[in-house]
Amino acid sequence: MAERLDWNSHDGRRRCGHDHDNAGGRPDRSKKLFVIIPGICTVLASGLVLLSQEFWLVAASQVATAIAGAAIGPAVAGMTLGIVRQAGFNRQNGRNQAFNHAGNVVGAALSGWLGWLYGFAAVFWLAAAFGVLSIASVLMIPTDSIDDDAARGLEHERGDHGHVSGFQVLVESKPLLILAAALLFFHLGNAAMLPLYGLAVVADHHADPTSFVAMTIVIAQGTMILTSLVAMRMAEKEGYWLVLLISFIALPIRGVVAAWLLNEWGVYPVQILDGVGAGLQSVAVPGLVARILNGTGRVNAGQGAVMTVQGVGASISPAIGSWIAQGLGYGPMFLILGAFATVSVGLWIIFAPLLKPACAGQPERAAPALTATGTVTH
């Protein structure tokens, strides 16, 4: 008999129920395929650029890269959840993110080195090689080790068929909506900050463009390795609420620092703060979405929905930042971009009584219901 846990749309409480039917239909049994496809897209994107630099081929390569970038996050999160289930997701996701950021550092270093030795084309050959290695890595995972129902947030004994909630559960879940709104404002301020900071510093001849870009990647991703592991430990002891609060607070501080230190030395504190915010969120956001939607069968849809909202904020951010910089200058622009995250902080604090039960502690396999005030009921 499957136990279902979802969030009441009126008061934010999780409730337990039992279902025998599989109203959502048969679950997808090809979890690895959704990680392999982004790898193939990466290889194709690199191949297209190597083949020609014509506009339409480059545009097609960018589409393939965008598909890979959008799909890989929810796909890996779902596959991880299917392997380790809710009880082990926080820790394994923390390790995944630490290795992800380490891979970004190694990739950036190798790209710079190979590009210097063999030219620009070597960078794309390297990207294609990494895509092939990612496909090979996924193929090495035994298919039987992935519980397809657990991968989408259905916790029950093997052989039972759990009830899958409709997509309406996403818009009725108050904690999920608050999380999405907070992330929207955060990325609205965060996405444009690095490119505009780099433009401001390089335009004033404070730094060499090539070395400056390399430093921004290495500093931020190196910080993310550490903060991913810290987030994993913090989530186990304190829950996700504090982890995300710290990540939101990092952006206003980063805006002040960026406005004050518009020179080559400012890249260190600016990018360390970027690593703190992004590193904490890389662990806390997938973990919290999986926690909120546990038992609904819509965890992967929830991951995709939250990433979509983040993408909306990130896509609008450069336009807003450029418009502010043109009218007021770089310094005020950084302060305003950082101020967007104060909305995130405000939402997170105001709705803390509703959010903290969803963010708290490591769930057991058969979790008790949690009320909006944190009272445990059985």
Side-chain angles (χ1 to χ4, degrees):
M1 184 177 293
E3 181 177 58
R4 185 178 79 243
L5 293 89
D6 53 14
W7 284 91
N8 186 286
S9 61
H10 301 292
D11 59 9
R13 290 179 296 178
R14 264 195 315 196
R15 61 183 185 267
C16 298
H18 299 282
D19 297 283
H20 295 278
D21 59 319
N22 187 19
R26 177 183 174 142
D28 198 300
R29 303 293 179 184
S30 305
K31 297 293 182 292
K32 293 196 294 185
L33 182 62
F34 294 100
V35 182
I36 292 172
I37 289 175
I40 294 174
C41 287
T42 300
V43 175
L44 290 176
S46 301
L48 287 173
V49 174
L50 287 170
L51 181 66
S52 172
Q53 282 75 52
E54 292 291 329
F55 172 79
W56 291 111
L57 283 178
V58 174
S61 74
Q62 290 302 296
V63 170
T65 302
I67 292 172
I72 193 69
V76 171
M79 193 165 64
T80 302
L81 189 59
I83 294 173
V84 300
R85 306 173 73 90
Q86 279 284 342
F89 183 72
N90 173 65
R91 180 159 292 209
Q92 185 58 49
N93 183 51
R95 296 192 189 102
N96 288 354
Q97 294 302 326
F99 277 100
N100 172 43
H101 301 311
N104 290 335
V105 173
V106 172
L110 285 176
S111 295
W113 181 58
L114 291 176
W116 178 65
L117 288 178
Y118 303 108
F120 193 58
V123 177
F124 293 97
W125 283 111
L126 179 65
F130 280 146
V132 172
L133 290 174
S134 70
I135 295 171
S137 299
V138 172
L139 291 174
M140 293 172 65
I141 300 173
T143 302
D144 292 342
S145 67
I146 304 173
D147 185 323
D148 294 285
D149 289 330
R152 57 181 181 162
L154 283 176
E155 291 287 349
H156 58 77
E157 295 299 322
R158 289 178 183 270
D160 284 346
H161 294 284
H163 174 78
V164 179
S165 303
F167 285 103
Q168 187 177 359
V169 72
L170 300 183
V171 296
E172 290 183 344
S173 173
K174 288 184 179 179
L176 189 68
L177 293 177
I178 296 165
L179 172 64
L183 291 171
L184 171 66
F185 282 101
F186 177 87
H187 286 278
L188 194 62
N190 185 68
M193 195 165 290
L194 174 59
L196 291 176
Y197 185 78
L199 182 63
V201 173
V202 173
D204 287 340
H205 306 288
H206 288 303
D208 173 70
T210 305
S211 61
F212 185 83
V213 171
M215 286 298 296
T216 61
I217 295 172
V218 172
I219 294 169
Q221 295 294 330
T223 304
M224 289 177 201
I225 296 172
L226 298 176
T227 52
S228 296
L229 298 174
V230 170
M232 177 184 73
R233 298 291 185 182
M234 285 181 63
E236 288 180 348
K237 295 180 179 180
E238 305 292 339
Y240 291 120
W241 187 84
L242 180 60
V243 176
L244 282 166
L245 178 63
I246 294 172
S247 77
F248 294 144
I249 292 174
L251 184 56
I253 298 173
R254 186 181 177 214
V256 172
V257 173
W260 181 49
L261 290 175
L262 276 172
N263 55 57
E264 60 180 319
W265 298 108
V267 68
Y268 292 97
V270 167
Q271 285 308 94
I272 287 172
L273 287 166
D274 182 32
V276 169
L280 294 177
Q281 288 186 15
S282 68
V283 174
V285 172
L288 182 53
V289 172
R291 190 77 57 82
I292 292 171
L293 296 176
N294 184 31
T296 66
R298 296 299 182 189
V299 169
N300 298 315
Q303 302 281 12
V306 169
M307 287 188 65
T308 300
V309 173
Q310 292 181 161
V312 170
S315 63
I316 298 173
S317 179
I320 294 177
S322 299
W323 177 68
I324 296 172
Q326 185 174 5
L328 301 177
Y330 285 111
M333 179 267 296
F334 290 125
L335 294 175
I336 294 172
L337 287 180
F340 281 124
T342 60
V343 179
S344 305
V345 175
L347 287 171
W348 212 244
I349 293 175
I350 291 170
F351 290 100
L354 179 64
L355 293 165
K356 284 186 176 181
C359 299
Q362 180 65 34
E364 302 294 335
R365 285 178 64 93
L370 299 171
T371 68
T373 58
T375 304
V376 178
T377 60
H378 296 275

